Amino acid sequence: MLTLAQNPHHSVPPDFTSEDFHLAREQLIADGGDHEMAACQLTLVWHLNNDLEKQEWDHQIQQGRQEAANRACQAEEEQERQQLEQEREWELALQEERKKYCLKHTPIPQDAVISTDPIIIPAQVAICKLHKGDFVELYFFTNKGLCNVELSTQSADDDALMLLQTSDSLHSFVPLATAHAKGSATKDKDLSWEEFSEAAHRLATAMRENDWPEERIDSHIKFWLALESHPWRHGICEISKMGLANLPSLSKMQMA
């Protein structure tokens, strides 16, 4: 199809009455007529051809616009395809890096709850007594008793065994650290009121961790609350305070 170079909508018909078209008019009037009628016929033919060229021009413009739109659409699709391909390559590279450096890409939880409760690790002998349901010295739950456990667990001889006689007059081997902790424990009657306060709630927590019945734990808590709120506890008489401090030991003797 012939492509038009100029817009026929802007074309102006020539003057067919001029000398330039004299020969064309002569051919039209050979069978009769005059030059004016021939000029009108030439003008009519020009307008018919111009209308055809206008239609062809409009079709050419529409086709060009459609082809431009198709090219733009194809270019956009190609750009999206290249972008998706690039993103896929990046994702594959990132997955490979995550496999290779897994620790680097391990997510860190932002809502992690960090406990503020102190870590209480009593002596092993105290834990064994609580597990069996025996009475245990409060000393093991005081600050001093817990510090001694930390020092003893750092000893290089903790794995050594020592022969001790149990309450049943039997002999058994126990870890050296446990024997030291048992031998260095301060009796309840020799503890200060401050040490009593340190050990009371820790002992209740340890009892719960070793599956003591809740009623026994409640009794322990009520007992210590009664001691803390007793008038002798806050009095000025030291003898009364000493007598009150002996009540835990006496209660153990009565319940033994």
Side-chain angles (χ1 to χ4, degrees):
M1 182 181 294
L2 181 63
T3 302
L4 299 177
Q6 295 181 353
N7 187 351
H9 291 279
H10 299 158
S11 299
V12 178
D15 184 8
F16 289 105
T17 61
S18 64
E19 288 297 328
D20 295 336
F21 296 96
H22 180 77
L23 182 60
R25 292 195 304 271
E26 287 290 337
Q27 292 178 355
L28 291 176
I29 64 176
D31 296 332
D34 54 17
H35 283 273
E36 183 178 358
M37 182 180 295
C40 290
Q41 291 179 352
L42 290 174
T43 303
L44 177 61
V45 171
W46 183 92
H47 279 291
L48 291 175
N49 290 331
N50 183 255
D51 290 340
L52 293 176
E53 291 179 350
K54 287 179 180 178
Q55 294 178 5
E56 180 62 26
W57 176 265
D58 293 341
H59 176 72
Q60 179 178 310
I61 294 299
Q62 182 65 26
Q63 185 178 9
R65 290 175 179 174
Q66 184 64 38
E67 291 176 355
N70 292 339
R71 289 193 299 269
C73 183
Q74 291 175 358
E76 184 178 358
E77 291 177 353
E78 178 63 19
Q79 183 178 3
E80 291 179 356
R81 187 193 67 79
Q82 292 180 0
Q83 183 176 357
L84 291 175
E85 180 66 20
Q86 188 177 26
E87 291 178 355
R88 188 183 70 85
E89 292 178 356
W90 287 347
E91 182 64 24
L92 291 176
L94 182 58
Q95 291 179 1
E96 186 65 25
E97 183 180 357
R98 287 174 177 172
K99 291 179 181 178
K100 188 175 181 180
Y101 307 106
C102 57
L103 294 179
K104 174 183 176 181
H105 295 279
T106 301
I108 300 176
Q110 301 298 320
D111 55 350
V113 179
I114 301 177
S115 176
T116 57
D117 296 335
I119 300 176
I120 306 300
I121 305 179
Q124 188 64 34
V125 62
I127 298 299
C128 292
K129 285 186 175 183
L130 283 176
H131 185 70
K132 294 189 298 182
D134 295 340
F135 290 108
V136 59
E137 290 81 357
L138 293 174
Y139 165 81
F140 293 112
F141 298 92
T142 63
N143 291 341
K144 183 179 179 181
L146 295 175
C147 289
N148 287 342
V149 171
E150 292 183 1
L151 293 176
S152 62
T153 54
Q154 297 174 2
S155 171
D157 296 331
D158 285 349
D159 294 334
L161 299 177
M162 182 176 181
L163 184 63
L164 288 181
Q165 184 176 3
T166 64
S167 58
D168 300 331
S169 299
L170 299 176
H171 290 80
S172 62
F173 287 98
V174 297
L176 187 58
T178 301
H180 286 168
K182 185 175 181 180
S184 60
T186 303
K187 296 181 178 180
D188 290 353
K189 66 182 184 64
D190 297 326
L191 295 177
S192 64
W193 275 109
E194 182 179 359
E195 290 173 324
F196 277 132
S197 300
E198 295 170 358
H201 70 281
R202 292 171 180 167
L203 177 57
T205 301
M207 292 168 65
R208 184 169 287 108
E209 291 175 351
N210 284 272
D211 300 325
W212 277 54
E214 283 297 327
E215 59 270 16
R216 299 296 301 275
I217 300 174
D218 292 340
S219 298
H220 165 78
I221 295 175
K222 292 177 181 178
F223 176 73
W224 286 107
L225 289 177
L227 290 181
E228 286 289 343
S229 60
H230 197 278
W232 289 2
R233 167 70 178 85
H234 306 283
I236 60 175
C237 180
E238 295 298 328
I239 298 177
S240 298
K241 291 182 180 181
M242 292 175 59
L244 193 62
N246 284 328
L247 284 179
S249 299
L250 294 175
S251 64
K252 288 183 180 180
M253 294 175 61
Q254 293 175 358
M255 298 177 64

